[in-house]
Amino acid sequence: MALLRTRPRGLPWPELTAEVGDRGSARAVWDELNEHQPSLFPAEDDDPLQVASRDIAEWRRADYRFLTFRDDDYPPQLRDVHQVPPVLFTRGSLKTNERAISVVGSRSASKPALELAATVAAGLVDRGLTVVSGLATGIDSAAHHATLDAKRSFTARNGGGT
């Protein structure tokens, strides 16, 4: 997380993720790329490693799951994509080889586009498919909200099962 926040040498997240994957250690990449020179008495809030450690501990206690691409239960299908997402926040169960479809798009989408994204996401859920999306506002957010609403409706109609 400290690498993703500070982006040493201006490296984009896909390159940082690839470096961690190649070396097998985020700390090794941090030590090699980090140009941050800590002060003799750094404040805890100024230390990116301390902030990242605190955030990760909080996320691990939350009512959702926090996974990194290095975790054993990270979805194997995502490890195979060109720009593997470095972290995931999930709720519910992750199923190996589950069929999923992404609904992503503009952050500044028009109202009709947002409504279409919501309709598409709800339709996918009604067909028993998993909807995957980013965390951006706009289309991604509309898809997430519609997916959660449709999932509740789907679960109620099917007696709690999926």
Side-chain angles (χ1 to χ4, degrees), residues 49-161:
L49 294 175
Q50 290 285 337
V51 172
S53 179
R54 205 171 45 243
D55 286 345
I56 291 168
E58 181 180 328
W59 294 333
R60 296 231 189 256
R61 289 188 303 269
D63 67 342
Y64 49 81
R65 290 181 63 205
F66 167 74
L67 297 169
T68 74
F69 76 103
R70 305 273 303 146
D71 290 328
D72 290 339
D73 48 352
Y74 187 92
Q77 305 95 314
L78 284 178
R79 281 196 186 101
D80 293 337
V81 300
H82 173 64
Q83 293 182 339
V84 60
V87 299
L88 295 178
F89 295 89
T90 69
R91 188 173 277 150
S93 61
L94 291 173
K95 299 174 186 170
T96 304
N97 298 320
E98 183 172 19
R99 292 182 353 171
I101 298 179
S102 294
V103 179
V104 296
S106 174
R107 291 178 186 214
S108 57
S110 67
K111 185 174 179 173
L114 295 172
E115 291 169 354
L116 177 61
T119 300
V120 167
L124 294 169
V125 171
D126 282 343
R127 287 162 182 77
L129 295 169
T130 295
V131 175
V132 179
S133 209
L135 291 175
T137 59
I139 296 294
D140 296 39
S141 180
H144 279 302
H145 287 286
T147 297
L148 293 171
D149 290 343
K151 175 67 175 173
R152 284 188 278 276
S153 175
F154 181 88
T155 301
R157 285 193 319 268
N158 291 289

